[in-house]
Amino acid sequence: MSSERTDQAVSAPFAARVSVEQVEEGLDLAPRFDADGLIPCVTTATASGEVLMLGYMNDEALRRTIATGEAHYWSRSRQCLWHKGATSGLVQQVVELRIDDDQDAVWLRVEVAGSGASCHVGYRSCFYRSVELGSSSGEPARLVFTESEKIFDPQDIYGDAPNPTQL
Amino acid sequence: MSSERTDQAVSAPFAARVSVEQVEEGLDLAPRFDADGLIPCVTTATASGEVLMLGYMNDEALRRTIATGEAHYWSRSRQCLWHKGATSGLVQQVVELRIDDDQDAVWLRVEVAGSGASCHVGYRSCFYRSVELGSSSGEPARLVFTESEKIFDPQDIYGDAPNPTQL
């Protein structure tokens, strides 16, 4: 990390998408943002390989993540740039950033500061429940918790901030 | 896997979303599909933890995945249900299916049949390139290949089928 790293750090603009060969086989970073200007981002824990969350980035969030080495997202519920951990202290340090074949998805491998949690409900991973497989009988699928207890109490961290979950 | 498993197998309808508490803390599977009727799905390799792909499921794809234990997606490029591996033989056997806190993302842990590849370009993972971090100098970010060679030749598997990558 160079001395240029500040809260304003942002990488250069991305390459234009000119051909399938360039996008799939080339060395230009030429991401494809969707109609809302967003690209989905899978974030995994470097040590365990566990998927911590699925977030979204806009152009600025991706460029700030590249420049600073800390995960930035676009908050769809709050409609603002989101430096992950700015409120909770649970900053995600990026060990590796990958892009997929057609460059419409990002994968971050991260180390999480502090308690290591990444989920606003208080669990380590947002994916703290599994679905029972093999159900085709007519009974609705049920969930099973894969984390037995929360790592932090959301009330302590977020107070009265609105819950981002939308019905 | 019961004897009920056939190509027509599909799980029961999902629960309605009635409260944040139910969605975040409950045992009902009540997924949230987006305006296009889709939910994003992260697929990782059970053994390595590597992210293989980011796909999308509609209601039917998710219910078929639950019922059969084999990954089904919605192909956005072909606009059809997609039983992964039906053309290539590279079926993804689901070891675990998880849902995230607000139930708008799915995580599949899978074992891939045959050569183990999941990427239409021929690589094992769709995420076969990393992005150089720390660039805030004005130079565009560059990519580095993380897989040195393809596992299969797409021409052998897909022939003249249209490439799904869109510019």
Side-chain angles (χ1 to χ4, degrees), chain A residues 82-146:
Chain A
W82 171 28
H83 181 190
K84 176 75 177 171
T87 301
S88 65
L90 303 168
V91 169
Q92 294 175 339
Q93 191 73 40
V94 181
V95 174
E96 190 177 31
L97 191 162
R98 294 205 200 175
I99 191 88
D100 78 341
D101 43 20
D102 57 354
Q103 301 204 29
D104 70 354
V106 170
W107 170 19
L108 295 186
R109 293 175 56 231
V110 304
E111 292 182 0
V112 184
S115 65
S118 285
C119 170
H120 79 279
V121 181
Y123 295 100
R124 186 178 61 248
S125 162
C126 295
F127 293 85
Y128 51 82
R129 288 169 298 180
S130 67
V131 179
E132 293 183 346
L133 296 173
S135 164
S136 59
S137 61
E139 291 296 311
R142 299 291 284 172
L143 304 179
V144 177
F145 275 76
T146 57

Side-chain angles (χ1 to χ4, degrees), chain B residues 26-38:
Chain B
L27 299 180
D28 292 341
L29 178 57
R32 184 172 198 260
F33 296 92
D34 69 14
D36 295 323
L38 302 179

Side-chain angles (χ1 to χ4, degrees), chain B residues 29-158:
Chain B
L29 178 57
R32 184 172 198 260
F33 296 92
D34 69 14
D36 295 323
L38 302 179
I39 189 168
C41 172
V42 182
T43 302
T44 64
T46 305
S48 65
E50 185 177 43
V51 177
L52 297 173
M53 56 184 283
L54 179 73
Y56 294 85
M57 296 175 165
N58 65 355
D59 180 285
E60 182 181 0
L62 181 54
R63 290 167 65 190
R64 284 190 188 273
T65 300
I66 292 169
T68 65
E70 294 182 354
H72 290 67
Y73 303 94
W74 177 258
S75 168
R76 294 178 305 166
S77 57
R78 289 180 284 134
Q79 289 286 302
C80 64
L81 189 75
W82 171 28
H83 180 190
K84 176 74 176 170
T87 301
S88 65
L90 303 169
V91 169
Q92 295 175 338
Q93 191 73 40
V94 181
V95 174
E96 190 177 31
L97 191 163
R98 294 206 201 175
I99 193 87
D100 78 341
D101 43 20
D102 56 355
Q103 300 203 29
D104 70 355
V106 170
W107 171 20
L108 295 186
R109 293 175 55 230
V110 305
E111 292 181 0
V112 184
S115 65
S118 285
C119 170
H120 79 279
V121 180
Y123 295 100
R124 187 178 61 247
S125 163
C126 295
F127 294 85
Y128 50 82
R129 289 170 296 180
S130 66
V131 179
E132 292 183 346
L133 296 173
S135 162
S136 59
S137 60
E139 290 297 312
R142 298 292 284 173
L143 304 179
V144 178
F145 275 76
T146 57
E147 293 190 37
S148 56
E149 59 187 39
K150 295 184 183 184
I151 292 177
F152 67 87
D153 182 341
Q155 183 68 32
D156 294 343
I157 302 291
Y158 302 112

Side-chain angles (χ1 to χ4, degrees), chain A residues 5 15 21-22 33 41 46 63 69 71 91 102 112 142 148 159:
Chain A
R5 184 194 147 194
E21 184 180 4
Q22 171 222 23
F33 296 92
C41 172
T46 305
R63 289 167 66 189
V91 169
D102 57 354
V112 184
R142 299 291 284 172
S148 56

